[in-house]
Amino acid sequence: GALALDHDTFREMARSYPRVGPLGELRRSLAGLRLADLAVGRDGRNRCLLSAFRARTGRNQPSNSRFIFGQASWLRGLIRPAPGYGLAYLDWSQQEFGIAAALSGDPHMMAAYGSGDPYLEFAIQAGAVPASATRDTHPMMREQFKTCALAVQYGMGAESLGVRIGQPTSQARELLTLHHQTYRTFWQWSDASLDYAYLHGSLSTTFGWTMHVAPWANPRSIRNFPMQANGAEMLRLACCFATEGGIRVCAPVHDALLIEAPLGDLECAVATTRSAMERASCVVLDRFPLRAATSLIRSPDRYADPRGQRMWDTVWDILAELDGGVPRVH
């Protein structure tokens, strides 16, 4: 009966009730603001052990207190390119959805990913919105189908999904039913993967990273393993391809790469990195390419995460009041 006050709960609730987002950021900052632990060298760069393969899925698992991307999102404003340089943050768009589509071979799911907006396309395929629907004409329906598509990958039930989308459990159950009906091939593959894991006691990625499965293992973790673990394989391969292409990779971040380049070469570096990421996805997913979105940070600008921008501005406003006019850092 106690309140759930962990970071993941606040993050989930903020999707339905944006006003609790800043409160969650504040709680996380107060609980974990240990900047003294942040591993920053004399050159101003954050370096820490990435703990590759530490997670069961083969994902990196660096210390949250020592890695800037493990801190509260507003603290990413501390990231700034050197004078004359720029940074680019490239992350795979809807990576887990794309991996699920490719590995399962579900034609409708693959078509949804290829549309450029798999969540809206899911709603169209399910008959919930007309074929002419766009983000602007049906934003609420798109958001509900997006939440459903993401929830499925983590085995979320109707009750939890209903809370997340702010709708009755019956409507959430209908969304899950539509997902099963629309992507039948995916669900057949997912069920078969689960059966195989329990029968053989293991499940492996394209390149052989294996999770050993006990009879009492959580089925949700097993179902999600192929997406997470093959995503990890993809990230490692993209790092290799990008580095071999002459790109300075600053950090791998879950499903993204942070790179740097002189301002005059930044656009070219982005193109090379995007090509490396697409190539990596094609290798892991048997010629099924995943696209990458890009955010550019040019000196003297700072990295800005939209989720933490309000907190960043608030902190600098408070500092300005305390110090009699400290200019806000943008």
Side-chain angles (χ1 to χ4, degrees), residues 98-141:
I99 292 174
L103 293 180
S104 67
D106 190 303
H108 298 295
M109 209 171 193
M110 295 169 76
Y113 186 84
S115 72
D117 189 342
Y119 309 127
L120 182 61
E121 188 64 21
F122 170 27
I124 293 173
Q125 291 172 335
V129 298
S132 59
T134 66
R135 288 173 178 246
D136 297 328
T137 61
H138 294 77
M140 292 185 63
M141 289 297 291

Side-chain angles (χ1 to χ4, degrees), residues 198-215:
Y198 280 128
L199 181 63
H200 295 274
S202 65
L203 202 60
S204 300
T205 65
T206 301
F207 290 126
W209 178 260
T210 300
M211 176 179 70
H212 296 284
V213 178

Side-chain angles (χ1 to χ4, degrees), residues 268-284:
C268 181
V270 167
T272 300
T273 305
R274 185 180 286 119
S275 176
M277 294 173 73
E278 181 176 320
R279 180 185 171 194
S281 66
C282 285
V283 171
V284 175

Side-chain angles (χ1 to χ4, degrees), residues 2-11 13 23-24 27-28 31:
L3 293 175
L5 301 175
D6 57 280
H7 173 63
D8 289 340
T9 298
F10 268 99
R11 183 174 57 185
M13 291 298 101
L23 178 59
R27 286 183 56 85
R28 187 182 184 196

Side-chain angles (χ1 to χ4, degrees), residues 183-300:
Y183 302 128
R184 295 180 185 275
T185 302
F186 162 77
W187 281 104
Q188 291 171 359
W189 167 80
S190 183
D191 290 342
S193 297
L194 184 65
D195 292 342
Y196 180 95
Y198 280 128
L199 181 63
H200 295 274
S202 65
L203 202 60
S204 300
T205 65
T206 301
F207 290 126
W209 178 260
T210 300
M211 176 179 70
H212 296 284
V213 178
W216 54 84
N218 188 326
R220 290 178 296 179
S221 297
I222 297 173
R223 288 185 187 274
N224 192 40
F225 174 81
M227 279 68 80
Q228 294 294 334
N230 282 288
E233 302 274 34
M234 200 180 299
L235 183 64
R236 285 189 289 272
L237 201 54
C239 286
C240 293
F241 290 154
T243 301
E244 290 168 358
I247 301 301
R248 296 186 66 177
V249 178
C250 295
V253 189
H254 190 70
D255 60 354
L257 293 180
L258 181 70
I259 67 167
E260 72 170 339
L263 287 174
D265 300 331
L266 187 58
E267 296 288 350
C268 181
V270 167
T272 300
T273 305
R274 185 180 286 119
S275 176
M277 294 173 73
E278 181 176 320
R279 180 185 171 194
S281 66
C282 285
V283 171
V284 175
L285 302 178
D286 192 20
R287 299 186 298 278
F288 187 79
L290 300 188
R291 56 188 172 273
T294 306
S295 298
L296 299 179
I297 308 98
R298 293 182 171 89
S299 177

Side-chain angles (χ1 to χ4, degrees), residues 61-123:
Q61 208 169 65
S63 166
N64 285 338
S65 64
R66 298 183 64 79
F67 188 43
I68 186 62
F69 284 97
Q71 298 274 352
S73 59
W74 69 273
L75 284 169
R76 296 174 190 178
L78 296 173
I79 300 173
R80 184 175 61 181
Y85 278 76
L87 299 172
Y89 185 86
L90 298 94
D91 64 314
W92 275 291
S93 302
Q94 299 93 31
Q95 185 194 43
E96 292 173 20
F97 188 100
I99 292 174
L103 293 180
S104 67
D106 190 303
H108 298 295
M109 209 171 193
M110 295 169 76
Y113 186 84
S115 72
D117 189 342
Y119 309 127
L120 182 61
E121 188 64 21
F122 170 27

